Amino acid sequence: MNGRPISEAPEQSLYGQPQVSFRPNDFNSVIWAHGYDIICEKAIRCPCQGNSGSPLPDCQNCHGFGYFFVNPRRTKALVTGLNRNTQYVQWAPELMGTAAITVRDEDKDFLSYFDRVTVEDEYASFTEMLVAREMIGDEVAVFLSYAPIEDGIVAVYTFKDSESPLIKLDPSVYEIVPENPYCLRFAPGNVPPETGVSVLYKHMVEYHIIDMPHEIRASLGKDKKSGQFQILKMPIQGVGRRTHLIDMQRPNYDGSGIIYNDDNDSDTR
């Protein structure tokens, strides 16, 4: 520690004390056998903030969020909702959309604060009201909080007036832009700019890690051959929260926010 002298605490005698040793491989086997397929992406603070400490709204790396995400890794995790068991604990709104996410110790580098975790095995339904924006030419579009799965747009409604039924748009007049999976584009003449649009769609469940209650988790165990104590690395657990409950910015229609900075990707788009 920078050459500073460090005093040592006296050892605790364990003579005659019963020892309980965990078996990490059993935990890891449970995660691999019963866990969900997930993709973890590392969160890195975007340097666009400079001395101001505030991200640039037009930054195409973090799309104004302040973090960009790199090096996706597919692995498995146990995912348990924190508000699921409310028999003895009062339901708490601050736990809404949160889940405990447990991975093997070897995946520790891919589960830390603000990292993004996407569950591939399951999808969720989500609805939001968005304001249509005029794009290049006559195109009008809205930007969704999540990327819909294939054929995931269930319904799109627009408002006429207070005394008329809502207008349900025919699927032929809208599409997800291939270059930007967050962008829902409308055919010209169907949705005026600055019009409210309600969208119901399906998407893969996505979290951001907001807490690490078990960031350090290890135990002592005996080596079978030498009998010496050794450190046993245990599974790591983080608390994730759904993306739409965090102040996120959506990628723009022109491609902002979808530049890739992965280590193994020479092409940035």
Side-chain angles (χ1 to χ4, degrees):
M1 189 174 177
N2 297 328
R4 297 175 60 191
I6 301 176
S7 62
E8 300 286 347
E11 293 186 7
Q12 176 64 41
S13 174
L14 300 179
Y15 179 76
Q17 296 296 318
Q19 299 294 320
V20 177
S21 298
F22 292 97
R23 298 193 295 181
N25 191 59
D26 290 349
F27 286 90
N28 293 336
S29 297
V30 169
I31 293 174
W32 202 254
H34 302 285
Y36 292 100
D37 290 324
I38 65 170
I39 295 177
C40 301
E41 298 171 85
K42 290 301 299 178
I44 301 178
R45 196 71 177 264
C46 187
C48 73
Q49 301 172 62
N51 292 329
S52 67
S54 299
L56 297 178
D58 60 349
C59 177
Q60 297 189 25
N61 294 284
C62 71
H63 46 88
F65 177 48
Y67 290 83
F68 63 97
F69 302 92
V70 300
N71 304 338
R73 173 185 175 93
R74 181 176 283 111
T75 184
K76 289 181 177 289
L78 297 177
V79 182
T80 307
L82 296 184
N83 252 333
R84 188 175 65 175
N85 184 5
T86 58
Q87 183 177 2
Y88 302 108
V89 181
Q90 184 178 0
W91 181 88
E94 61 269 17
L95 295 181
M96 183 176 64
T98 56
I101 302 173
T102 306
V103 299
R104 300 171 301 167
D105 176 75
E106 60 196 81
D107 295 321
K108 179 179 181 178
D109 290 342
F110 301 89
L111 193 75
S112 188
Y113 287 96
F114 250 82
D115 288 353
R116 181 163 59 192
V117 176
T118 303
V119 182
E120 294 188 288
D121 294 328
E122 297 290 340
Y123 68 83
S125 295
F126 188 62
T127 179
E128 53 188 331
M129 197 289 294
L130 306 160
V131 177
R133 296 169 52 180
E134 187 172 11
M135 301 300 166
I136 301 174
D138 297 330
E139 292 182 344
V140 175
V142 295
F143 303 104
L144 307 174
S145 296
Y146 299 96
I149 61 176
E150 186 176 359
D151 300 324
I153 302 295
V154 178
V156 180
Y157 295 90
T158 59
F159 180 80
K160 183 178 180 181
D161 57 58
S162 300
E163 299 180 354
S164 301
L166 298 175
I167 301 172
K168 184 178 181 180
L169 299 183
D170 188 272
S172 63
V173 304
Y174 57 79
E175 65 172 350
I176 294 295
V177 177
E179 300 81 15
N180 189 338
Y182 295 85
C183 180
L184 180 64
R185 176 172 59 192
F186 305 102
N190 286 274
V191 178
E194 306 303 322
T195 299
V197 178
S198 295
V199 186
L200 173 63
Y201 61 97
K202 301 175 184 178
H203 64 91
M204 289 189 292
V205 180
E206 181 182 292
Y207 298 94
H208 286 270
I209 302 300
I210 59 172
D211 194 12
M212 295 291 295
H214 298 291
E215 186 174 17
I216 300 175
R217 178 184 269 181
S219 179
L220 282 177
K222 282 187 177 181
D223 184 85
K224 293 182 179 180
K225 295 182 178 180
S226 66
Q228 298 295 317
F229 281 107
Q230 61 182 357
I231 298 296
L232 301 177
K233 298 295 186 179
M234 305 298 292
I236 303 301
Q237 186 182 80
V239 175
R241 193 165 201 191
R242 291 284 298 276
T243 297
H244 70 274
L245 297 174
I246 302 175
D247 185 20
M248 298 287 292
Q249 298 292 327
R250 304 172 188 86
N252 294 328
Y253 179 77
D254 61 2
S256 299
I258 54 175
I259 289 180
Y260 301 127
N261 291 278
D262 300 334
D263 293 340
N264 57 355
D265 194 347
S266 58
D267 184 5
T268 58
R269 287 188 183 272

